[in-house]
């Protein structure tokens, strides 16, 4: 289910895995540059931990939390690209493969424009 709310409203939400276990807090949201659709959320997985990218396509907001349809362990094992900049096409492909998701435009090579993602930064401090 594609999230159809303002991506800025996702910042600061708790993120829970498919069993209801807390993953962390949404730190940033990454938008598809071509469509402006929210595609990925960077979730801070702990006070001294890192941000893990989670796909928003299959996620949903329920009762003020982001419900992610993956186990916490899979999210924590996601490739670490850091935050604060665009995801490259190669990084995004790695994320799709990590989560076992279909890559957009299957059957035809994806262009850089289709695969480049900007971000909406979270609150600073």
């Amino acid at each position: 289910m594609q999230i159809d709310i303002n991506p800025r409203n996702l910042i600061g939400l708790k993120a829970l895995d498919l069993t209801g276990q807390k993953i962390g807090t949404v730190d940033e949201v990454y938008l598809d540059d071509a469509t402006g659709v929210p595609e990925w959320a960077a979730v801070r997985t702990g006070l001294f931990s890192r941000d893990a990218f989670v796909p928003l396509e299959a996620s949903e907001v329920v009762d003020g939390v982001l419900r992610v349809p993956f186990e916490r362990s899979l999210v924590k094992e996601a490739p670490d690209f850091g935050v604060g900049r665009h995801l490259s096409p190669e990084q995004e492909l790695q994320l799709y493969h990590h989560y076992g998701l279909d890559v957009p435009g299957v059957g035809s090579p994806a262009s850089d424009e289709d695969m480049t993602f900007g971000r909406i930064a979270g609150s600073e401090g």
Side-chain angles (χ1 to χ4, degrees):
M1 169 181 204
Q2 184 62 51
I3 294 179
D4 58 354
I5 63 171
N6 182 333
R8 292 187 192 283
N9 293 339
L10 295 173
I11 306 298
L13 292 183
K14 288 182 185 174
L16 304 179
D17 76 356
L18 61 88
T19 67
Q21 187 174 17
K22 184 177 177 185
I23 299 169
T25 304
V26 177
D27 208 15
E28 295 186 357
V29 176
Y30 287 69
L31 308 177
D32 181 302
D33 284 342
T35 66
V37 173
E39 294 285 337
W40 300 96
V43 175
R44 172 74 51 188
T45 59
L47 185 60
F48 297 106
S49 197
R50 65 181 180 92
D51 283 270
F53 288 91
V54 297
L56 291 173
E57 181 178 348
S59 301
E60 60 184 340
V61 175
V62 177
D63 297 328
V65 299
L66 179 66
R67 297 240 176 218
V68 179
F70 301 99
E71 290 186 6
R72 181 179 180 202
S73 59
L74 183 66
V75 172
K76 288 190 153 216
E77 294 168 0
D80 185 0
F81 302 123
V83 293
R85 58 182 178 253
H86 276 69
L87 288 175
S88 73
E90 295 80 17
Q91 290 170 327
E92 197 218 354
L93 282 173
Q94 287 179 37
L95 288 169
Y96 274 106
H97 292 299
H98 175 76
Y99 287 105
L101 298 172
D102 292 333
V103 178
V106 171
S108 64
S111 71
D112 282 352
E113 182 176 303
D114 293 336
M115 303 291 288
T116 304
F117 290 81
R119 70 185 181 98
I120 294 179
S123 58
E124 303 295 318

